[in-house]
């Protein structure tokens, strides 16, 4: 494409130029010449017929004398810028506006043959050898008593017709040159509007194909090419950012796997080489166990995130009682809550509240939110789980009075592996994947989750669920 498209266009332009030139220099001159001759012949024929029907007939019927006719025809010849003759069928010249009357001197046109025009009323030649140059000669017969008495012939010098033909052709040539120059504008327009942007786009795609997804380019036009460039830029930036995300993800996964493995290895080595005395083994084996738990949790979270991504919208939707799910999930945290003397207060709408969704996944959402609320709550505090109904939706809120989330972190908490600096110190087991899983699940349900949090005061996570159809509630 690099070379050919532009060359093709230039070639097409030259072919167009050459063809236009050939047409204008071959067909147009012959057509113009033909047209001018026919037009002139038609004009002269009207005059010749008029003469043959008036003055000339009078001459043969002796109504008018030769001198009067000549006088009239002389002035007409001057007006028509031509020679008018009256010729007998035998070829004898009766009258010639170019020659003065001389009855004694008889002029006969050799080989005069009015049928030589072959069914036309005019001929272009030297009139039976009577002229040195080419003449347009128009015939009109003079008839009297149904007999051809003679002919009115009007001669017009072909030089004059050629002159006006050339003048018209000059106009055509100038017009052609102007048109060719104007069509150069199309070439320039094509170069500016199509060729240069296309080259930019091609170069950009080459860069993308070579893996340089961060390459940016600009095409300043509002048309389809401009739109294509914008789409291409956007596509590349999306691929680049997803590549960056992937790299970040792999780096995070590797890091999160490496640190527990390093500490497990460190403790085990220290136990084997005796750096940790046998009486301390129990303590460090417990630490090792904790680290393996963390690794298991991380692997499980990664697996469920991966499943959510690949399965997308494949949810096992059923109508289920959210109140019982909330109660049972809270119950799983009883032990942890007792240790931190944290109470989970439940303010649930109705005894049973049926919602529509994937029961297991919603349970996981509640589990992750409660897990976080407990992790980030202070000792002797209360966590409140509340439900409310609004516009055919059930809103579930999990509220704690813990450490809260700094304002700048609020947008980032949904990102994979995100942990605030503060929580990093407090919560060593956290993977930073819990809230991404929550967001994915709620997103798959076509619902929303929001967070309201004040640093140092606590956080509230609220998500919506679709209420089950009323008929099903009865079941
Ligand atoms: P983790 O498994 O590390 O808790 P999450 O994705 O669940 O990962 O949470 C990401 C980050 O969001 C946490 O590290 C913490 O900084 C913040 N966060 C989540 N829930 C709360 C909460 N209830 N209170 C304060 N901070 C929270």
């Amino acid at each position: 494409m690099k070379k050919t498209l532009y060359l093709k266009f230039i070639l097409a332009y030259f072919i167009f130029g050459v063809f236009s030139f050939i047409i204008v220099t071959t067909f147009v001159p012959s057509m113009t010449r033909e047209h001018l001759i026919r037009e002139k012949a038609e004009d002269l024929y009207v005059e010749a017929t008029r003469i043959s029907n008036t003055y000339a007939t009078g001459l043969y019927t002796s109504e008018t004398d030769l001198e009067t006719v000549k006088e009239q025809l002389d002035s007409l010849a001057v007006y028509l810028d031509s020679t008018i003759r009256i010729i007998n069928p035998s070829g004898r010249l009766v009258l010639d506006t170019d020659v003065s009357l001389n009855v004694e001197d008889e002029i006969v046109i050799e080989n005069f043959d009015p049928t030589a025009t072959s069914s036309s009323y005019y001929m272009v030649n030297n009139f039976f050898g009577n002229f040195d140059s080419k003449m347009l000669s128009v015939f009109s017969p003079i008839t009297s008593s149904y007999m051809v008495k003679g002919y009115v012939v009007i001669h017009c010098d072909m030089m004059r017709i050629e002159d006006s033909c050339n003048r018209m052709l000059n106009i055509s040539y100038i017009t052609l040159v102007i048109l060719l120059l104007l069509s150069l504008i199309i070439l320039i327009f094509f170069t500016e509007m199509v060729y240069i942007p296309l080259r930019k786009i091609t170069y950009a795609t080459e860069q993308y194909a070579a893996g340089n997804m961060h390459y940016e380019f600009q095409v300043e036009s509002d048309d389809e090419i401009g739109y294509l460039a914008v789409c291409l830029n956007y596509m590349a930036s999306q691929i680049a950012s997803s590549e960056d995300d992937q790299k970040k993800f792999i780096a995070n996964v590797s890091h999160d796997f490496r640190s527990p493995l390093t500490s497990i290895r460190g403790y085990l080595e220290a136990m084997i080489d005796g750096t940790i005395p046998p009486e301390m083994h129990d303590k460090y084996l417990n630490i090792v166990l904790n680290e393996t738990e963390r690794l298991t949790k991380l692997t499980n979270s990664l697996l469920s995130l991966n499943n959510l991504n690949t399965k997308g919208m494949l949810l096992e939707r059923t109508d289920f009682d959210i109140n019982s799910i909330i109660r049972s999930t809270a119950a799983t945290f009883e032990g942890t809550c007792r240790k931190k003397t944290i109470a989970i207060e439940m303010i649930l709408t109705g005894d049973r509240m049926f919602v529509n969704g994937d029961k297991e996944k919603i349970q996981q959402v509640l589990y992750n939110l409660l897990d976080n609320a407990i992790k980030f709550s202070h000792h002797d505090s209360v966590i409140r789980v509340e439900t409310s109904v609004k516009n055919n939706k059930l809103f579930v809120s999990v509220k704690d009075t813990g450490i809260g989330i700094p304002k700048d972190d609020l947008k980032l908490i949904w990102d994979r592996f995100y942990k605030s600096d503060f929580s990093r110190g407090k919560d060593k087991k956290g993977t930073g994947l819990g809230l991404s899983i929550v967001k994915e699940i709620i997103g798959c349900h076509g619902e929303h989750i929001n967070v309201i949090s004040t640093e140092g005061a606590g956080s509230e996570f609220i998500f919506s669920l679709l209420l089950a159809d009323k008929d099903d509630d009865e079941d």
Side-chain angles (χ1 to χ4, degrees):
M1 200 214 85
K2 248 186 202 168
K3 290 166 194 160
T4 53
L5 186 62
Y6 197 54
L7 278 182
K8 275 179 194 169
F9 202 79
I10 290 184
L11 196 71
Y13 176 73
F14 276 108
I15 290 173
F16 165 73
V18 168
F19 270 101
S20 315
F21 184 76
I22 291 173
I23 288 169
V24 171
T25 51
T26 53
F27 298 110
V28 176
S30 59
M31 277 159 59
T32 314
R33 195 170 170 276
E34 274 303 307
H35 171 75
L36 285 177
I37 291 173
R38 199 171 306 118
E39 201 178 51
K40 187 75 181 170
E42 272 169 20
D43 286 351
L44 293 182
Y45 183 69
V46 171
E47 291 300 330
T49 317
R50 204 158 57 82
I51 295 166
S52 63
N53 289 342
T54 51
Y55 318 116
T57 325
L59 199 67
Y60 283 97
T61 52
S62 305
E63 280 169 22
T64 340
D65 64 291
L66 197 58
E67 261 174 44
T68 321
V69 175
K70 177 151 173 37
E71 244 172 56
Q72 283 164 333
L73 291 190
D74 276 352
S75 49
L76 191 61
V78 172
Y79 171 71
L80 294 174
D81 198 12
S82 38
T83 306
I84 304 173
R85 285 171 164 181
I86 295 176
I87 305 169
N88 274 353
S90 58
R92 192 177 71 82
L93 206 59
V94 178
L95 190 150
D96 186 340
T97 53
D98 278 358
V99 183
S100 50
L101 271 181
N102 191 347
V103 189
E104 284 108 57
D105 215 1
E106 187 177 77
I107 302 170
V108 177
I109 296 165
E110 301 278 332
N111 309 322
F112 177 72
D113 177 10
T115 57
T117 54
S118 61
S119 77
S120 174
Y121 54 84
Y122 69 90
M123 55 164 64
V124 179
N125 53 21
N126 57 0
F127 200 67
F128 311 105
N130 199 239
F131 288 96
D132 296 334
S133 58
K134 274 191 176 176
M135 300 294 257
L136 164 70
S137 309
V138 179
F139 288 76
S140 174
I142 306 160
T143 47
S144 170
S145 318
Y146 305 109
M147 295 235 332
V148 176
K149 300 281 184 195
Y151 293 94
V152 172
V153 182
I154 305 181
H155 302 287
C156 176
D157 197 340
M158 275 302 288
M159 285 296 283
R160 266 179 230 119
I161 296 175
E162 297 288 358
D163 273 355
S164 48
C165 180
N166 286 341
R167 270 197 301 278
M168 282 179 88
L169 284 178
N170 281 345
I171 294 171
S172 307
Y173 295 144
I174 291 168
T175 313
L176 173 73
V177 171
I178 291 172
L179 276 179
L180 284 178
L181 286 177
L182 280 179
S183 58
L184 255 184
I185 293 173
I186 299 176
L187 191 70
I188 295 166
F189 187 77
F190 171 80
T191 312
E192 276 293 317
M193 305 298 288
V194 181
Y195 182 65
I196 293 174
L198 267 185
R199 270 189 60 162
K200 279 188 187 173
I201 291 173
T202 316
Y203 183 72
T205 47
E206 279 169 4
Q207 290 295 314
Y208 299 149
N212 181 10
M213 287 296 168
H214 291 281
Y215 178 79
E216 277 182 21
F217 69 105
Q218 229 175 349
V219 171
E220 273 143 25
S221 75
D222 295 334
D223 54 16
E224 285 81 352
I225 292 187
Y227 186 61
L228 172 70
V230 171
C231 290
L232 215 64
N233 255 324
Y234 180 69
M235 181 198 79
S237 71
Q238 287 297 101
I239 295 176
S241 91
S242 91
E243 266 180 7
D244 290 347
D245 284 353
Q246 229 166 340
K247 276 185 196 155
K248 224 163 75 185
F249 183 77
I250 291 170
N252 284 331
V253 173
S254 322
H255 175 265
D256 276 50
F257 270 94
R258 205 169 45 197
S259 38
L261 281 175
T262 316
S263 73
I264 290 170
R265 191 193 163 129
Y267 290 131
L268 291 178
E269 274 174 358
M271 277 188 249
I272 290 167
D273 66 18
T275 318
I276 297 174
E279 60 272 19
M280 302 278 277
H281 278 193
D282 272 0
K283 181 187 166 191
Y284 286 98
L285 280 175
N286 268 325
I287 298 176
V288 168
L289 197 65
N290 266 345
E291 292 292 348
T292 57
E293 250 176 56
R294 190 175 153 201
L295 280 176
T296 314
K297 196 176 167 192
L298 185 66
T299 319
N300 287 341
S301 299
L302 281 173
L303 280 175
S304 46
L305 252 186
N306 198 39
N307 282 347
L308 282 171
N309 274 354
T310 50
K311 282 184 188 164
M313 288 289 169
L314 284 181
L315 296 173
E316 280 178 39
R317 276 183 181 273
T318 49
D319 290 347
F320 62 92
D321 175 20
I322 188 78
N323 290 358
S324 72
I325 297 294
I326 293 172
R327 285 187 199 106
S328 64
T329 315
T332 58
F333 289 101
E334 238 179 60
T336 337
C337 287
R338 201 175 308 124
K339 270 188 214 162
K340 284 183 90 174
T341 51
I342 290 174
I344 300 180
E345 191 185 336
M346 282 173 270
I347 307 166
L348 308 178
T349 316
D351 187 29
R352 299 205 303 162
M353 177 56 65
F354 282 88
V355 290
N356 182 271
D358 189 315
K359 189 167 140 188
E360 269 182 34
K361 295 204 166 69
I362 297 300
Q363 189 160 21
Q364 195 175 354
V365 168
L366 281 165
Y367 185 92
N368 289 4
L369 293 180
L370 275 172
D371 188 34
N372 280 346
I374 295 165
K375 268 193 307 195
F376 300 113
S377 276
H378 307 294
H379 284 262
D380 305 315
S381 58
V382 177
I383 291 167
R384 185 174 294 158
V385 183
E386 202 173 338
T387 61
S388 56
V389 177
K390 214 190 236 177
N391 300 334
N392 206 33
K393 298 262 179 197
L394 179 85
F395 290 86
V396 183
S397 139
V398 178
K399 190 175 180 182
D400 64 67
T401 50
I403 61 169
I405 304 165
K407 212 173 160 197
D408 294 341
D409 291 358
L410 275 176
K411 270 190 189 159
L412 306 170
I413 56 169
W414 309 104
D415 292 351
R416 290 171 186 187
F417 291 105
Y418 181 79
K419 293 192 228 174
S420 73
D421 291 341
F422 186 64
S423 71
R424 252 174 232 280
K426 269 207 125 191
D427 164 42
K428 294 222 165 56
K429 277 193 197 167
T431 58
L433 292 173
L435 287 182
S436 345
I437 295 172
V438 165
K439 184 126 186 150
E440 288 277 356
I441 293 175
I442 298 296
C444 282
H445 279 78
E447 298 296 331
H448 300 281
I449 179 155
N450 280 317
V451 59
I452 305 162
S453 185
T454 314
E455 199 177 348
S459 318
E460 182 179 11
F461 287 84
I462 308 161
F463 64 93
S464 60
L465 282 173
L466 189 67
L467 281 175
D469 286 342
K470 287 242 162 56
D471 304 341
D472 300 341
D473 292 6
E474 321 285 300
D475 307 339

